[in-house]
Amino acid sequence: DQQVKQNSPSLSVQEGRISILNCDYTNSMFDYFLWYKKYPAEGPTFLISISSIKDKNEDGRFTVFLNKSAKHLSLHIVPSQPGDSAVYFCAAPNSGGSNYKLTFGKGTLLTVNP
Amino acid sequence: GAGVSQTPSNKVTEKGKYVELRCDPISGHTALYWYRQSLGQGPEFLIYFQGTGAADDSGLPNDRFFAVRPEGSVSTLKIQRTERGDSAVYLCASSLVAGGTGELFFGEGSRLTVL
């Protein structure tokens, strides 16, 4: 029972263009969502989050959009840079008092080509 | 260093052996978490400590897995009678407090290979 789904295992974009990474979820009780970025042989690092009461959060080149009716969120990276090449994980914390427990998607490998 | 430190970075062992993986969290972080990442999967929750006590160990797959944090800082994940299916990257993370906005600080992980 996968509550957070990333259906695209990989994505390749050209430097300077937009990267759009998608995530779907099944649990409408999630309070917020997070994106983590992971380079090879490193641990995941927090990138950006969004509260379930918002539909957009922007931080520099990174913007996350939340569509609650569709139970879908997306991460936009504009413009994409080769250093953005990494695996991106969508995650959400359990609700009901256990919001320390993150559920992660399987991740999407982004490759930004120079 | 200032980040979460995990040792060993790589561990190769034989089926049936005992393994210990160590995590040194960021100084001052009261919450500590263990996750496991298998090939092609996202990290999966194993156990969470608040201080010295295991507040939630619901993610531990079976009783071969055990974790301790005796002084509220360093934690050790212990795996008995290892099986090939235990092969994965074991990630430790810490946070100043539990919950909040969910931002965890992860270590680089300990890659366990069971032959």
Side-chain angles (χ1 to χ4, degrees), chain A residues 44-95:
Chain A
T45 56
F46 171 77
L47 186 59
I48 191 169
S49 65
I50 186 167
S51 166
S52 62
I53 64 173
K54 296 189 173 183
D55 55 18
K56 177 182 174 180
N57 188 27
E58 187 173 355
D59 183 2
R61 297 185 297 113
F62 302 90
T63 303
V64 56
F65 295 92
L66 176 61
N67 181 336
K68 287 188 288 293
S69 61
K71 294 184 182 175
H72 176 85
L73 64 154
S74 59
L75 174 67
H76 292 213
I77 306 174
V78 182
S80 301
Q81 299 174 353
D84 296 329
S85 298
V87 177
Y88 290 79
F89 292 100
C90 173
N94 280 29
S95 56

